[in-house]
Amino acid sequence: MTDHLRGPQLPTPRGPLSAAVTAYLRGTGPLPRPTEAGAADPYGDDLQLALYLCYELHYRGFAGVPADTEWDPDLLRVRAGLEHRFLSALRADSPAHDSLDEALAALLVEPAEGTGVSHFLCSEGELWQLREYAALRSLYHLKEADPHAWVLPRLWGRAKAAMAAVEYDEFGGGRAERVHARLFADLMTDLGLDTAYGRHLDAAPAEMLAVVNLMSLFGLHRELRGALVGHFAEVEITSSPGSRRLAEAMRRTGAGPAAEFFYDEHVEADAVHEQVVRHEVIGGLLAEEPELAPDIAFGIDATEYLEGRLAGRLLDDWRAGRSALRTPLAQELSHTS
C-alpha cells in the first residue's frame, strides 16, 4: 500500500514544539514532553502549527507519514498538552455572553458601520488581497464541513437530523461538482492559486491556524460537542451577509465566475442553514441536553474571539500596504476572468 506517500508535504517548523513533532512524524527525532506546551504562547506560531500537525493526521495526513500514526499514543499525549494550553487560554480570554440567548442575538445584528474583513474587501480590497484571503481560507475550505461532521455521532433526534441535512448541502447534495470544497477549489483556480490540499500552510500566520484548529479541537472531543454546535451556529448565522460582500468584492475586481459563484452560493444556502441551525440543531440539542447551553455559548464566543484576532492581523497588514502572509504568494496559475 502507498497511502503514506499521499497527502501534502510536512511544513517548515516554527519553533521547538513544531520542530519536534515534525521530526517525530518523519521518524528522525523524539517528541517534546507533553508539559512543554505549558510554557508556549497558546496563540503563537509554534504551538498552533504543532497542534495543526497533530490534527491533520485525522484528515488527509502528510506524505511519508504512515496512516496508523493518527492513533500513536505518545503523540496523542503531546496533543493533549497542546490542547490543554490552547483551550485554557480560550476559556480565559474569550469575551463571554451572559447567556446563550444573548450570544445568539448578537450574531443576528449587523453593525451599521461594518469594519470587518468582508467589509474591507467589498469596498476597497484589491485582487492581491483577495488572493491572499483565499489562500488562507483554503486551509479550511478545501475540507469544508469535515470538522463539523465529527458531531453527528454525538447527536440524536432533531439535532442529528437537522445537522445531517445541513451537512448534506455542504457536501453537494450528492453531486460531486457541487461539494463546497470543490467549489472553493474552482474559486482558487479563478484567482490563479494552486489548489493542492495544504499548499498554503507555510504562508498562513498563527491566527489562521488557530481558527482552523478550533474546529478540530471541538470536533474531536465528545465533551465539547456543544461548543462545536456553537461554532457551527456562528459560522452559518454570520455567513450569508459576509458572503454577499465577498461576492461583490469578487465581481468588482473581476476575479472570475467561479470566484463569484462560491460566495453567491453561500448567500442563499446559509440563509436557509441559519434557520435550521438555530431552531432545529440548537433547539433539538437543548431539548435533550439543556445543560449544554453554556458550552454552545462558549463555542460562539471562542469563534468570534479567534476570528477577531485574524481580522485584526489581516486588516493591519493590508491597510499598511503589506502582505498578511508569512511567505510570498506566487502567481502559480494563469489568472482567468
Side-chain angles (χ1 to χ4, degrees), residues 22-103:
T22 300
Y24 187 78
L25 294 178
R26 286 184 173 136
T28 60
L31 284 165
R33 293 187 299 275
T35 55
E36 289 182 39
D41 178 354
Y43 309 116
D45 278 298
D46 191 26
L47 184 142
Q48 289 298 325
L49 180 59
L51 194 52
Y52 187 94
L53 291 169
C54 293
Y55 285 151
E56 273 304 304
L57 299 175
H58 299 291
Y59 296 101
R60 299 200 198 175
F62 295 97
V65 179
D68 61 0
T69 309
E70 176 183 11
W71 299 112
D72 182 296
D74 294 325
L75 186 61
L76 291 176
R77 277 189 284 272
V78 169
R79 194 190 87 186
L82 300 169
E83 289 177 326
H84 178 74
R85 178 67 170 146
F86 184 33
L87 185 58
S88 296
L90 286 171
R91 291 196 183 281
D93 298 338
S94 299
H97 286 93
D98 291 335
S99 68
L100 175 57
D101 286 343
E102 183 182 300

Side-chain angles (χ1 to χ4, degrees), residues 220-277:
L220 287 167
H221 293 272
R222 191 178 70 84
E223 67 176 339
L224 295 173
R225 61 195 179 280
L228 185 62
V229 167
H231 178 280
F232 194 61
E234 197 278 345
V235 170
E236 295 298 323
I237 291 172
T238 62
S239 173
S240 188
S243 293
R244 184 177 292 108
R245 289 187 286 270
L246 290 169
E248 178 55 34
M250 296 296 176
R251 272 187 281 275
R252 182 176 56 78
T253 57
E260 297 172 21
F261 181 78
F262 177 82
Y263 288 110
D264 283 335
E265 168 76 5
H266 280 71
V267 171
E268 180 178 350
D270 291 344
V272 175
H273 293 170
E274 176 232 320
Q275 297 293 321
V276 175
V277 171

Side-chain angles (χ1 to χ4, degrees), residues 157-295:
R158 283 170 55 202
K160 181 190 283 285
M163 189 73 187
V166 175
E167 288 283 275
Y168 182 68
D169 285 349
E170 301 285 348
F171 293 135
R175 297 169 57 188
E177 73 277 8
R178 300 283 297 199
V179 172
H180 285 189
R182 174 69 260 169
L183 297 180
F184 194 80
D186 294 340
L187 171 150
M188 295 176 72
T189 298
D190 265 6
L191 290 171
L193 295 171
D194 190 334
T195 64
Y197 185 88
R199 168 66 177 80
H200 303 289
L201 176 55
D202 278 328
E207 292 85 354
M208 186 68 232
L209 298 185
V211 166
V212 180
N213 283 339
L214 184 70
M215 302 179 220
S216 298
L217 170 65
F218 289 164
L220 287 167
H221 293 272
R222 191 178 70 84
E223 67 176 339
L224 295 173
R225 61 195 179 280
L228 185 62
V229 167
H231 178 280
F232 194 61
E234 197 278 345
V235 170
E236 295 298 323
I237 291 172
T238 62
S239 173
S240 188
S243 293
R244 184 177 292 108
R245 289 187 286 270
L246 290 169
E248 178 55 34
M250 296 296 176
R251 272 187 281 275
R252 182 176 56 78
T253 57
E260 297 172 21
F261 181 78
F262 177 82
Y263 288 110
D264 283 335
E265 168 76 5
H266 280 71
V267 171
E268 180 178 350
D270 291 344
V272 175
H273 293 170
E274 176 232 320
Q275 297 293 321
V276 175
V277 171
R278 279 199 300 133
H279 298 296
E280 297 303 316
V281 178
I282 292 179
L285 180 58
L286 291 178
E288 299 285 353
E289 299 182 280
E291 69 277 8
L292 292 183
D295 290 347

